[in-house]
């Protein structure tokens, strides 16, 4: 039983068809991770007991595998009566896992803004809210754009983990074909090649967007 | 100390170098006789640093030749490496190895290039560290030393290989004013011991005291080459005059 | 089954987790050093080839790579044990990331370091071994610690190719005992107990290195 090239090629359209799901999962998970991560960072900055709790939670998330998180959410949520689809659980899992990393991105992005910026803004008479909206936020966004782009690529590369929950992204589709035909090598290899091409293309695109965003207004 | 004889001279003839389309060095002819002390000065971008970096092969060049003690430099890597051992280089920014102690900075090439034993190498290194008046810092790391001390270590490191020719690339321009003297003092005593020296520097006091020739470079050419009393008394080129006026006031 | 029994059961998988991590390092460390240095030194066609190999290992999704090699290698006649395939795929994936740290560490050194070595008559390989690599590797050591943690966490994947690591044990226990909260919380905690001390070590390293840098700057 060798590698059947024509069979491999016949699996391309099906696996290619799952790119939409893969990208959608990556995008929503990235937004989710950014949202939770930003919330974590705000809580951490507020100090106090919740600050310490969040600090521990971030360390905890960063010391545990994404696969264990997916199992945890997939099996524990129903135990408490929360029934979500596999896709939702998967997106939730990636969001939680990567929020631990994005919290650090926000931290670095805010820390990098010189203290004089908010002082100067208050000195010219801007309100606290205006200072955040017009002075701090734009500078923070510029600081986090590059690492955020890199984490989008990381999240994209973690989307095939959802195959273990039978979500029909690219790897999940490949496994569907494999279990129908009892041939694993061909669909998995096709999924590997297509996914590599997708990841390379997306990371190039992210790089290009970065240089366009940062090139013009970098000091 | 190695014996100095006339055939140890460094001969540079017809040296030309381009960075892309930019002509950095134009037809440089220069003989550095054994035991001579030459100071090179000139405005920034005149090619003076590039010239001495060519002499020990840190920069390639496109025309002309450089010979150290009769050995032509350049064509093959092995000879270039050998020639480098005959020249000591002191950089503007010291370039000490931060992960090694002062002593290890000095013994590294002795042990790895000349394959000396640790004892032998350390004896030589300590000898030169004494010469630059810093033997008590031998066990420290470069980051624990002041700039002036670091530069003196860099000089000792270069001396360890008993070079025929010492090259100095603006050795005092990265130093705070109060540290310049300690480095210049070391250079003066080296000169008094007969070391052949080629120094790019703007320390005109040093040039007056030590140099037997001063070279003025501008736009990649040697514009003027003269004894210091003549150079400082009455430079023959207008550019050299302007430069001296700027730098002496 | 008490929580204590669940814990013991999961920890029975620790030896497989440790074994795959250890063998993984045998692939990761040489790959990172050789390819990181090669990318730093090489030019032209060699540089392109080196970059392609690195990008293959780090831009692919590690979970897909694992399945592809696990299922496709036997088809082309290459029979490797699950441990070997896992160690190779996980190791080279992390090695790909670490090679970028090696290269970046070398590139961020002051050019004067190499020149000072040349001026002393050291050969190119001596300059690399005695001057550039020691500094680059020390400067990048916190990054290497992070990659090591990623490797330990990635070993959770081997549970998908029949190896009885901690994650596999947790799933086994889940089949005989309905206690998802206890089991999957214990699983997360097991990884935390392994990885967190390493993370602390990484932080200590980083603090030491940056205080060394400040000392260098201050004087």
């Amino acid at each position: 039983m060798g590698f059947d090239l024509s069979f491999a090629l016949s699996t391309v359209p099906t696996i290619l068809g799952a790119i939409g799901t893969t990208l959608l999962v990556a995008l929503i998970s990235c937004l989710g991770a950014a949202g939770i991560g930003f919330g974590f960072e705000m809580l951490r900055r507020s100090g106090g007991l919740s600050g310490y709790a969040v600090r521990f939670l971030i360390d905890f998330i960063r010391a545990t595998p994404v696969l264990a998180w997916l199992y945890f959410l997939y099996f524990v949520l129903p135990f408490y009566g929360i029934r979500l689809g596999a896709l939702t659980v998967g997106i939730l899992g990636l969001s939680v896992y990567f929020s631990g990393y994005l919290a650090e991105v926000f931290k670095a992005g805010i820390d990098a803004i010189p203290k004089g910026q908010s002082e100067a803004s208050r000195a010219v008479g801007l309100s606290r809210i205006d200072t955040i909206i017009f002075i701090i936020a734009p500078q923070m966004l510029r600081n986090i754009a590059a690492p955020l782009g890199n984490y989008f690529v990381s999240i994209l590369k973690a989307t095939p983990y959802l195959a273990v929950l039978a979500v029909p992204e690219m790897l999940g589709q490949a496994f569907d074909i494999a279990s129908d035909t009892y041939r694993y090598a061909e669909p998995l290899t096709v999924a590997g090649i297509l996914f590599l091409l997708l990841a390379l293309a997306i990371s190039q695109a992210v790089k290009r967007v970065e240089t366009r965003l940062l090139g013009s207004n970098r000091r | 100390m190695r014996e100095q004889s006339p055939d140890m001279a460094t001969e540079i003839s017809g040296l030309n170098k381009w960075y892309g389309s930019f002509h950095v060095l134009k037809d440089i002819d220069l003989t550095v006789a054994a035991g001579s002390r030459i100071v090179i000065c000139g405005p920034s971008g005149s090619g003076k640093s590039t010239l001495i970096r060519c002499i020990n092969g840190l920069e390639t060049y496109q025309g002309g030749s450089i010979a150290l003690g009769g050995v032509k430099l350049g064509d093959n890597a092995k000879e270039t490496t050998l020639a480098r051992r005959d020249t000591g280089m002191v950089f503007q920014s010291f370039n000490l190895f931060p992960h090694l102690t002062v002593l290890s900075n000095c013994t590294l090439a002795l042990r790895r290039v000349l394959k000396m034993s640790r004892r032998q190498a350390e004896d030589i290194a300590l000898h030169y560290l004494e010469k630059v008046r810093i033997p008590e810092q031998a066990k420290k790391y470069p980051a624990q030393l002041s700039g002036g001390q670091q530069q003196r270590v860099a000089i000792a490191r270069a001396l360890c290989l008993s070079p025929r020719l010492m090259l100095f690339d603006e050795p005092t321009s990265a130093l705070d004013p109060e540290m310049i003297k300690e480095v210049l003092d070391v250079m003066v005593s080296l000169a008094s011991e007969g070391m052949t020296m080629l120094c790019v520097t703007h320390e005109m006091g040093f040039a007056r005291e030590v140099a037997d020739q001063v070279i003025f470079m501008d736009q990649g050419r040697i514009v003027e080459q003269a004894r210091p009393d003549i150079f400082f008394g009455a430079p023959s080129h207008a550019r050299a005059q302007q430069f001296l006026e700027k730098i002496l006031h | 089954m008490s929580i204590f029994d669940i814990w013991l059961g999961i920890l029975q998988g620790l030896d497989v987790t440790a074994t795959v991590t250890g063998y993984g390092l045998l692939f990761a460390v040489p790959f990172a050093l050789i390819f990181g240095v090669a990318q730093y030194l090489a030019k032209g066609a060699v540089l392109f080839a080196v970059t392609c190999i690195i990008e293959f290992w780090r831009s692919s999704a590690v979970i897909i790579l694992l399945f592809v090699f696990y299922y496709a290698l036997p088809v082309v006649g290459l029979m490797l044990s699950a441990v070997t395939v896992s160690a190779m795929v996980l190791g080279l994936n992390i090695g790909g990331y670490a090679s970028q740290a090696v290269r970046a560490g070398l590139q961020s050194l002051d050019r004067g370091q190499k020149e000072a070595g040349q001026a002393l008559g050291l050969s190119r390989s001596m300059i690399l071994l005695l001057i550039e690599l020691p500094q680059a590797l020390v400067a990048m050591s916190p990054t290497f610690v992070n990659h090591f943690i990623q490797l330990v966490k990635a070993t959770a994947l081997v549970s998908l190719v029949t190896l009885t690591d901690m994650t596999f044990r947790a799933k086994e226990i889940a089949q005989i005992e309905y206690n998802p909260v206890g089991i999957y919380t214990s699983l997360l905690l097991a990884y935390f107990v392994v990885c967190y001390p390493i993370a602390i070590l990484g932080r200590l390293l980083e603090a030491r290195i940056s205080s060394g840098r400040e000392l260098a700057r201050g004087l």
Side-chain angles (χ1 to χ4, degrees):
Chain A
M1 181 175 108
F3 190 90
D4 185 344
L5 190 62
S6 62
F7 172 57
L9 287 175
S10 76
T11 67
V12 170
T14 317
I15 295 170
L16 213 52
I19 278 189
T21 311
T22 292
L23 285 175
L24 192 71
V25 168
L27 197 63
I28 301 176
S29 302
C30 190
L31 290 175
I36 302 172
F38 188 73
F40 278 168
E41 178 52 20
M42 289 300 114
L43 280 173
R44 184 159 59 173
R45 273 176 192 270
S46 68
L49 201 61
S50 65
Y52 278 107
V54 163
R55 205 166 293 204
F56 176 77
L57 190 55
I58 291 171
D59 281 351
F60 187 83
I61 289 172
R62 291 167 64 99
T64 41
V66 61
L67 189 60
W69 277 99
L70 289 173
Y71 287 140
F72 178 85
L73 294 171
Y74 190 73
F75 294 111
V76 167
L77 290 179
F79 184 81
Y80 291 109
I82 305 168
R83 303 205 173 272
L84 304 170
L87 181 68
T88 314
V89 171
I91 290 172
L92 191 62
L94 293 184
S95 301
V96 168
Y97 179 76
F98 282 98
S99 70
Y101 293 86
L102 289 184
E104 298 295 313
V105 170
F106 286 113
K107 177 182 183 332
I110 296 172
D111 286 349
I113 301 170
K115 211 173 158 227
Q117 289 295 310
S118 62
E119 285 168 1
S121 159
R122 300 304 303 270
V124 296
L126 264 67
S127 72
R128 195 177 292 270
I129 301 288
D130 282 350
T131 300
I132 290 174
I133 295 175
F134 295 109
I135 308 297
I136 303 301
Q139 297 193 48
M140 183 192 75
L141 286 178
R142 194 185 58 189
N143 291 341
I144 67 168
L148 199 62
N150 292 339
Y151 272 112
F152 177 70
V153 176
S154 299
I155 293 170
L156 177 75
K157 284 192 258 175
T159 55
Y161 275 93
L162 270 58
V164 301
L165 309 182
V167 171
E169 44 62 67
M170 291 168 78
L171 181 60
Q173 279 299 5
F175 267 113
D176 273 356
I177 298 170
S179 59
D180 285 348
T181 59
Y182 298 102
R183 297 191 67 111
Y184 283 81
E186 292 86 354
L188 287 169
T189 306
V190 168
I193 292 169
L194 291 179
F195 192 88
L196 177 60
L197 293 177
L198 176 69
L200 286 172
I202 296 286
S203 73
Q204 280 305 315
V206 163
K207 253 181 226 160
R208 202 158 296 172
V209 171
E210 265 166 29
T211 39
R212 187 168 301 174
L213 277 180
L214 301 178
S216 56
N217 61 354
R218 187 161 262 179
R219 276 161 297 178
Chain B
M1 280 275 108
R2 214 185 276 234
E3 218 170 295
Q4 309 281 356
S5 62
D7 65 331
M8 298 280 187
T10 303
E11 294 273 0
I12 301 168
S13 58
L15 188 69
N16 274 286
K17 177 175 174 63
W18 283 265
Y19 282 125
S21 62
F22 179 55
H23 202 170
V24 219
L25 294 176
K26 299 170 188 162
D27 304 319
I28 303 285
D29 292 306
L30 178 66
T31 301
V32 187
S36 65
R37 300 170 297 278
I38 299 177
V39 163
I40 306 175
C41 60
S44 63
S46 57
K48 50 197 194 310
S49 286
T50 309
L51 172 59
I52 70 166
R53 286 164 61 84
C54 283
I55 294 176
N56 73 343
L58 285 179
E59 303 278 352
T60 56
Y61 48 90
Q62 286 76 39
S65 69
I66 298 176
L68 294 172
V71 180
K72 215 181 139 199
L73 183 84
D75 303 338
N76 76 53
K78 201 168 183 184
E79 276 178 13
T80 307
T81 308
L82 285 174
R84 274 177 183 151
R85 281 179 217 169
D86 279 341
T87 59
M89 177 86 172
V90 176
F91 298 87
Q92 180 178 351
S93 50
F94 329 141
N95 293 347
L96 292 179
F97 306 128
H99 62 302
L100 301 177
T101 62
V102 163
L103 191 61
S104 302
N105 262 277
C106 295
T107 57
L108 182 71
L110 292 174
R111 297 191 58 198
R112 301 290 170 164
V113 179
L114 302 183
K115 310 285 179 207
M116 283 185 186
S117 71
R118 174 194 284 267
R119 269 290 298 278
Q120 216 181 347
E122 287 184 353
D123 285 348
I124 293 174
L126 282 169
H127 169 75
Y128 286 108
L129 285 171
E130 260 164 50
K131 190 156 254 179
V132 300
R133 296 158 208 151
I134 207 165
E136 71 282 358
Q137 313 283 6
K139 296 288 177 201
K140 288 193 180 165
Y141 284 89
Q144 295 168 290
L145 269 52
S146 72
Q149 290 173 320
Q150 291 193 44
Q151 192 60 299
R152 284 188 280 148
V153 172
I155 294 173
R157 179 176 73 177
L159 288 173
C160 279
L161 289 167
S162 313
R164 295 171 178 180
L165 169 66
M166 282 288 284
L167 304 169
F168 293 85
D169 186 5
E170 306 205 30
T172 56
S173 19
L175 294 174
D176 292 336
E178 69 270 20
M179 292 171 186
I180 291 177
K181 188 172 177 299
E182 63 187 64
V183 171
L184 289 181
D185 283 349
V186 166
M187 291 168 65
V188 169
S189 63
L190 261 184
S192 69
E193 287 165 20
M195 175 60 76
T196 315
M197 294 165 73
L198 195 53
C199 311
V200 172
T201 182
H202 288 164
E203 294 294 331
M204 290 302 133
F206 172 79
R208 236 188 271 255
E209 185 182 349
V210 172
D212 41 28
Q213 276 189 75
V214 178
I215 286 174
F216 176 76
M217 285 184 71
D218 190 32
Q219 293 177 0
R221 283 183 202 284
I222 294 182
V223 176
E224 181 144 357
Q225 180 169 6
R227 292 210 326 258
D229 50 336
I230 296 171
F231 180 77
F232 290 110
S236 44
H237 288 80
R239 279 184 204 281
Q241 272 168 12
Q242 286 165 4
F243 176 76
L244 279 178
E245 267 167 33
K246 258 187 211 154
I247 207 158
L248 295 176
H249 295 290
Chain C
M1 215 185 232
S2 70
I3 277 289
F4 184 71
D5 293 326
I6 291 173
W7 248 103
L8 277 186
I10 287 174
L11 284 181
Q12 278 171 5
L14 183 59
D15 63 333
V16 172
T17 298
T19 306
V20 176
T21 304
Y23 285 139
L25 282 179
L26 291 183
F27 287 92
V29 173
F31 185 89
L33 285 175
I34 292 169
F35 281 79
V37 167
Q39 212 180 21
Y40 171 63
L41 294 179
K43 289 183 182 72
V46 180
L47 176 62
F48 182 73
V50 164
T51 305
C52 283
I53 295 170
I54 292 173
E55 285 305 318
F56 171 76
W57 285 108
R58 65 184 276 269
S59 290
S60 294
V62 61
I63 177 172
I64 300 186
L65 278 182
L66 181 63
F67 282 126
V68 169
F69 279 82
Y70 184 74
Y71 286 108
L73 285 184
V75 171
V76 294
L78 205 58
M79 297 292 180
L80 297 173
S81 72
V83 172
T84 311
V85 171
S86 302
M88 181 185 82
V89 169
L90 301 182
L92 294 182
N93 176 246
I94 293 296
Y97 284 107
S99 73
Q100 299 307 287
V102 171
R103 177 186 52 81
L106 289 168
Q107 282 175 341
S108 64
L109 288 179
D110 189 309
R111 203 169 58 121
Q113 290 292 309
K114 180 179 144 197
E115 290 182 350
Q118 288 174 325
L120 289 174
L122 296 173
S123 64
R124 188 68 191 88
S125 56
M126 278 185 194
I127 292 173
L128 184 72
L129 282 177
L130 300 171
I131 296 168
E132 294 178 301
L133 269 180
Q135 294 183 59
L137 295 184
V138 168
M140 285 295 158
S141 55
T143 310
F144 296 135
V145 172
N146 281 336
H147 288 320
F148 178 66
I149 295 172
Q150 295 299 337
L151 175 62
V152 176
K153 296 197 302 182
T155 60
L157 279 174
V158 304
S159 64
L160 301 173
V161 291
T162 70
L163 293 177
T164 54
D165 74 325
M166 299 200 292
T167 305
F168 191 92
R169 296 287 305 158
K171 283 166 71 188
E172 267 185 340
I173 297 166
Q175 281 174 359
I176 50 170
E177 174 100 2
Y178 183 67
N179 182 1
V181 180
I183 293 168
Y184 291 105
T185 307
S186 299
L187 179 63
L188 286 172
L189 272 173
Y191 281 103
F192 178 74
V193 167
V194 174
C195 294
Y196 193 57
I198 309 171
I200 300 275
L201 183 82
R203 266 176 223 173
L204 291 177
L205 257 178
E206 185 155 19
R208 240 192 104 171
I209 289 164
S210 63
S211 77
R213 248 181 233 138
E214 255 148 50
L215 182 71
R217 219 181 291 128
L219 281 170

